[in-house]
Amino acid sequence: MSRAAGAAGAMGALMAAGLTGCAAAPTDAVDYRDGTYEATGWYGSLPSHQDLTLTIEDDRVTEVAITAPAEDPTSLEHQQRFAAALGDEIIGRDIDSIALDRLAGASGCSEGFMNALAEIKDSARA
């Protein structure tokens, strides 16, 4: 065997040995019960809220409805834009992959939604 072939073989063995320690760590996947869940998400200093109804099937969001109950015209506008954009953003997604920070220019609505989503996830855990 040539020196080059021996070096290549040794390098391959080292890489293979090193890669065994790089395997992905097992994830603590959470399973959720299929169903329709409701929660209220509070946010802001007024305080404002949104009522969220979410349907989960096979850990994916299949339907969503959210209220826009604000009385302040500016808050109501934010809530309506958020509600209009929400379905396109989350329907079909795995529930654990949803992390909204700002949607349709509304960061407060996102905070309320994420609070309600956390409550729904707790209720739906299998």
Side-chain angles (χ1 to χ4, degrees):
M1 176 187 304
S2 72
R3 281 181 77 187
M11 182 64 116
L14 285 173
M15 287 179 65
L19 291 177
T20 58
C22 293
T27 58
D28 294 331
V30 176
D31 288 325
Y32 298 94
R33 290 185 306 272
D34 290 352
T36 299
Y37 299 88
E38 297 178 349
T40 298
W42 293 91
Y43 65 94
S45 59
L46 291 177
S48 296
H49 77 280
Q50 298 163 314
D51 297 314
L52 177 65
T53 303
L54 197 74
T55 301
I56 303 167
E57 290 179 21
D58 296 323
D59 297 343
R60 295 195 173 279
V61 175
T62 58
E63 293 180 46
V64 63
I66 192 164
T67 63
E71 295 178 12
D72 174 76
T74 302
S75 295
L76 180 60
E77 181 182 338
H78 286 299
Q79 286 184 348
Q80 289 172 334
R81 283 196 329 256
F82 182 86
L86 184 61
D88 289 341
E89 185 69 24
I90 69 167
I91 289 182
R93 289 184 55 188
D94 183 285
I95 193 168
D96 282 329
S97 72
I98 298 170
L100 300 181
D101 184 50
R102 179 180 295 270
L103 180 64
S107 58
C109 294
S110 297
E111 178 185 346
F113 167 80
M114 291 303 297
N115 289 337
L117 181 64
E119 189 177 318
I120 286 172
K121 288 169 67 172
D122 285 345
S123 296
R125 279 189 186 0

